[in-house]
């Protein structure tokens, strides 16, 4: 129970951060979850809590959502969930933390990688990639943010529309893990605690968005994520015996 409560507090903080900056909180949460729960439970539970975080953030900013961008994203997301839902059968669950760590480092430090996954000008493709990748890594980062930033000058529109898109990505992968045999009921107390914490964080971040310099938070976020990713890779390599020690 103390670990569950601590994870819920972390979830509140990451949800608040994302509501302020528009991104980053989900990646921090998925990076710390291996220290609290089993690998096979990480992505499903992360999806449930991030669904709460993004859906609540979208609701609080519902007047600013651009539904014209959302509709093609939804169509692409349906296709992405179906395609990547089949591929996840071939992924070793004990390697998920390693995959997440490598993904985070590439997204933070590789311009070529970011150009490949973010430089899309089509919300159908963005929906396909973002929802599909979320089945594997939990928090692919809102790939739609770059395009939304180019299309909208208003921060509230960008953050709220991106939140709705991420909520769709998370809700569509829930049936995939139910189909794979994951039982959400076994983690119900923790899940409910984290869902409540995520919603509260969204509310707090929405109120604080215009009071805290987002640039400062993003700089701290960059280095914090780097350290967490390196820790995930090293811990997985140690458990798998790849270090030869």
């Amino acid at each position: 129970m103390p670990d569950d409560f601590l994870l819920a507090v972390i979830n509140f903080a990451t949800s608040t951060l994302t509501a302020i900056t528009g991104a980053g909180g989900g990646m921090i949460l998925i990076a710390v979850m291996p220290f609290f729960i089993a690998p096979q439970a990480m992505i499903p539970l992360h999806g449930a809590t991030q669904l709460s975080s993004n859906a609540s953030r979208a609701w609080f900013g519902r007047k600013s959502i651009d539904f014209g961008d959302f509709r093609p994203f939804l169509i692409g997301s349906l296709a992405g969930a179906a395609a990547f839902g089949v591929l996840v059968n071939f992924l070793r669950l004990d390697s998920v933390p390693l995959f997440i760590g490598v993904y985070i480092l590439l997204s933070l430090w590789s311009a070529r990688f970011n150009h490949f996954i973010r430089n899309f000008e089509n919300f159908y493709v963005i929906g396909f990639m973002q929802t599909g990748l979320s089945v594997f890594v939990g928090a692919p980062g809102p790939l739609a943010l770059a395009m939304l930033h180019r299309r909208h000058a208003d921060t509230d529109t960008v953050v709220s529309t991106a939140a709705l898109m991420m909520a769709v990505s998370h809700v569509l992968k829930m049936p995939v893990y139910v189909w794979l045999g994951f039982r959400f009921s076994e983690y119900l107390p923790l899940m409910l605690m984290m869902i409540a914490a995520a919603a509260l964080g969204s509310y707090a971040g929405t109120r604080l968005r215009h009071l805290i310099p987002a640039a400062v938070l993003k700089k701290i976020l960059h280095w914090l994520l780097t350290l967490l990713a390196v820790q995930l890779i090293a811990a997985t390599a140690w458990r798998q015996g790849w270090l030869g020690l």
Side-chain angles (χ1 to χ4, degrees):
M1 185 60 69
D3 284 350
D4 289 355
F5 180 75
L6 178 57
L7 189 56
V9 171
I10 293 172
N11 193 27
F12 169 81
T14 58
S15 182
T16 301
L17 172 65
T18 304
I20 295 172
T21 64
M27 295 183 77
I28 291 179
L29 182 63
I30 197 66
V32 303
M33 286 181 79
F35 303 105
F36 294 91
I37 58 177
Q40 62 268 23
M42 283 172 43
I43 305 299
L45 290 182
H46 180 270
T49 59
Q50 289 301 288
L51 172 58
S52 172
S53 176
N54 285 280
S56 57
R57 189 161 66 254
W59 174 255
F60 294 137
R62 60 192 180 278
K63 293 181 180 179
S64 302
I65 293 175
D66 185 333
F67 287 99
D69 291 338
F70 173 71
R71 293 185 188 97
F73 177 90
L74 175 60
I75 295 172
S77 292
L78 290 168
F84 283 79
V86 174
L87 295 177
V88 78
N89 284 289
F90 305 99
L91 178 68
R92 286 183 57 188
L93 293 179
D94 57 358
S95 299
V96 168
L98 173 68
F99 193 39
I100 293 170
V102 171
Y103 178 87
I104 291 174
L105 287 180
L106 286 173
S107 67
L108 290 174
W109 296 101
S110 174
R112 182 175 297 179
F113 179 78
N114 281 307
H115 177 75
F116 174 73
I117 65 171
R118 290 181 182 173
N119 195 26
F120 297 113
E121 293 296 337
N122 186 311
F123 276 111
Y124 293 101
V125 178
I126 289 175
F128 180 87
M129 294 297 295
Q130 179 166 299
T131 300
L133 285 172
S134 73
V135 174
F136 284 95
V137 299
L143 304 183
L145 262 182
M147 188 169 174
L148 287 171
H149 271 300
R150 288 192 294 271
R151 292 169 66 92
H152 303 284
D154 179 56
T155 300
D156 289 334
T157 298
V158 172
V159 173
S160 300
T161 306
L164 182 60
M165 291 176 174
M166 281 302 301
V168 166
S169 295
H170 289 300
V171 76
L172 288 179
K173 72 184 179 187
M174 296 293 103
V176 173
Y177 282 95
V178 171
W179 174 58
L180 290 174
F182 183 79
R183 297 184 178 181
F184 286 93
S185 59
E186 295 180 1
Y187 295 86
L188 190 58
L190 172 61
M191 189 168 64
L192 292 177
M193 192 184 304
M194 292 185 68
I195 286 173
L200 289 172
S202 291
Y203 178 77
T206 300
R207 300 297 296 269
L208 294 171
R209 185 178 300 151
H210 302 292
L211 301 178
I212 301 177
V216 174
L217 287 172
K218 287 182 178 180
K219 191 175 229 182
I220 296 173
L221 172 66
H222 188 91
W223 287 103
L224 178 59
L225 280 170
T226 298
L227 292 173
L228 287 169
V230 171
Q231 172 63 28
L232 281 176
I233 294 170
T236 304
W238 178 276
R239 286 194 301 269
Q240 299 292 336
W242 297 336
L243 300 179
L245 301 176

